Amino acid sequence: MSIEVDLYNAAVNLVMDRYPEGWGGAAAVMTSTGRLLTSVAPETKNDALSLCMEVGAYLEAHKFNEAVTHSLCVYRDDEHSTFKILTPCGICQERLVHWGGDVLVAITNIDNKLIFKPVRELQPFHWSGVNGDEL
């Protein structure tokens, strides 16, 4: 199997285990050493405290001092729905930029196919250019 399929399967399996009924979402990332990390969004009583599904896995990568090479996030509406791929939100894109513009991310698309693009393609006019840096 490919890294992309491994990530997808890991995220889907986590959703099915963690959220057997109703809505569910999870993220999976691969690090430069081949470590596959998964995470879910913490449930909070105050929406201001919410975090994206990917944050836990990104923090784990930092904990192990490993670069993220791939990132994927999926959700489903309920246990009878198909899984949908989510492009990282702008904040998570900024989190991924920490590891450079080559980080591959799964993107939302009309056919819900497993497509990965470098984060630099999601951020062609990234603010770092003002400093002469290039993603």
Side-chain angles (χ1 to χ4, degrees):
M1 269 195 281
S2 69
I3 291 171
E4 294 83 359
V5 171
D6 288 345
L7 290 174
Y8 182 85
N9 290 337
V12 166
N13 289 335
L14 178 54
V15 171
M16 293 190 313
D17 288 343
R18 176 68 175 80
Y19 306 102
E21 296 179 352
W23 181 94
V29 306
M30 184 65 68
T31 70
S32 56
T33 66
R35 189 185 306 253
L36 196 156
L37 305 167
T38 60
S39 58
V40 297
E43 296 174 16
T44 63
K45 295 190 185 301
N46 179 341
D47 284 345
L49 302 174
S50 294
L51 291 170
C52 298
M53 290 177 251
E54 302 99 308
V55 173
Y58 297 164
L59 292 173
E60 286 287 301
H62 279 288
K63 178 179 85 176
F64 293 118
N65 197 28
E66 297 176 12
V68 169
T69 60
H70 295 73
S71 182
L72 169 137
C73 190
V74 298
Y75 83 98
R76 65 163 193 224
D77 293 317
D78 60 45
E79 68 273 18
H80 306 293
S81 301
T82 59
F83 283 88
K84 297 176 185 151
I85 299 165
L86 295 173
T87 301
C89 73
I91 294 170
C92 282
Q93 289 178 36
E94 285 296 328
R95 291 175 176 132
L96 289 167
V97 164
H98 171 75
W99 292 290
D102 291 327
V103 177
L104 296 173
V105 298
I107 60 166
T108 303
N109 58 88
I110 194 77
D111 297 320
N112 202 40
K113 290 186 177 183
L114 196 53
I115 299 172
F116 281 71
K117 298 278 185 182
V119 72
R120 82 168 42 86
E121 287 187 27
L122 278 60
Q123 296 266 343
F125 304 102
H126 191 262
W127 60 266
S128 61
V130 79
N131 299 322
D133 296 331
E134 187 176 316
L135 281 183

